[in-house]
């Protein structure tokens, strides 16, 4: 009675491998190993499988890096716009303090030229007021302040515009009567 080893697969591995099959005399009449034993004896990945795995890994890494760079741009934009808002609030707080606020246009820059600003001051025109009504020259009046801050290349995402109203007392020395 001869003992023949049978092919036993455990998971994806063959028990004993090719050497164990050859020692046990598990050969066909022509001297070859059975098909199942030949399949079991071949281990590893084919070149095509490795190429596909690298391609999938490269695609995943490029998507990940693109997402990270987009996040970095958004953080930079948020920091720039936050700083622009702080500069604009600071400028609007200072306008008209210690000086008479008069209609006109002024401009300047913050942070050594990184942020540019333009301030337009004009009398406020009330859309509800009828044009024929006379205005009292001694009454306080409203001025509209429009501040525009730009940074970077000044694109639509790199521009901030703030509008506000200021109540000013007329200068009695400037009125002739």
């Amino acid at each position: 009675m001869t003992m023949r080893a049978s092919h036993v697969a455990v998971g994806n591995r063959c028990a004993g491998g090719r050497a164990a099959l050859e020692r046990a005399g598990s050969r066909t009449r022509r001297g070859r190993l059975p098909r199942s034993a030949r399949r079991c004896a071949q281990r590893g990945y084919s070149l095509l499988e490795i190429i596909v795995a690298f391609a999938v890994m490269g695609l995943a890494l490029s998507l990940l890096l693109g997402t990270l760079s987009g996040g970095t741009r958004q953080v930079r934009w948020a920091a720039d716009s936050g700083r622009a808002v702080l500069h604009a609030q600071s400028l609007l707080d200072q306008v008209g303090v210690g000086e008479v606020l008069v209609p006109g246009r002024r401009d300047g820059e913050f942070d050594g030229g990184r942020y540019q600003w333009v301030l337009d001051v004009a009398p406020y025109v009330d859309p509800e007021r009828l044009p024929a009504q006379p205005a009292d020259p001694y009454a306080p009046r409203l001025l509209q302040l429009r501040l525009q801050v730009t940074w970077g290349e000044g694109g639509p995402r790199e521009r901030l515009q703030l509008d506000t109203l200021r109540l000013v007392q007329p200068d009695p020395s400037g009125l002739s009567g």
Side-chain angles (χ1 to χ4, degrees), residues 5-173:
S6 63
H7 170 67
V8 179
V10 179
N12 233 2
R13 298 178 158 208
C14 298
R18 183 177 183 150
L21 289 171
E22 286 178 355
R23 278 193 305 264
S26 170
R27 293 197 180 260
T28 61
R29 284 187 221 159
R30 293 184 183 172
R32 293 185 185 164
L33 289 172
R35 239 183 232 175
S36 60
R38 276 187 270 155
R39 248 186 274 131
C40 187
Q42 295 175 357
R43 294 192 182 178
Y45 298 103
S46 70
L47 181 60
L48 182 61
E49 290 171 328
I50 291 173
I51 291 173
V52 168
F54 273 111
V56 168
M57 186 174 63
L59 179 65
L61 284 176
S62 66
L63 291 174
L64 178 67
L65 290 176
T67 302
L68 290 176
S69 69
T72 304
R73 265 192 307 271
Q74 288 179 345
V75 167
R76 172 69 181 228
W77 175 81
D80 286 345
S81 62
R83 183 167 284 181
V85 167
L86 290 175
H87 285 308
Q89 286 178 341
S90 175
L91 181 66
L92 286 176
D93 288 343
Q94 294 172 3
V95 170
V97 176
E99 63 180 334
V100 177
L101 192 58
V102 294
R105 182 181 201 126
R106 292 190 273 179
D107 58 2
E109 58 186 34
F110 301 116
D111 279 351
R114 184 170 178 189
Y115 299 91
Q116 296 82 32
W117 59 269
V118 176
L119 177 65
D120 289 317
V121 179
Y124 176 69
V125 179
D126 186 3
E128 300 290 321
R129 186 171 162 232
L130 298 173
Q133 292 178 338
D136 183 6
Y138 297 103
R141 57 190 175 129
L142 282 174
L143 292 179
Q144 181 177 11
L145 282 72
R146 174 167 287 161
L147 177 64
Q148 186 170 10
V149 179
T150 57
W151 63 94
E153 295 180 17
R157 293 194 63 174
E158 297 169 333
R159 183 177 305 146
L160 170 72
Q161 182 172 319
L162 299 173
D163 291 316
T164 187
L165 297 174
R166 289 283 168 88
L167 185 65
V168 294
Q169 297 294 329
D171 184 14
S173 64

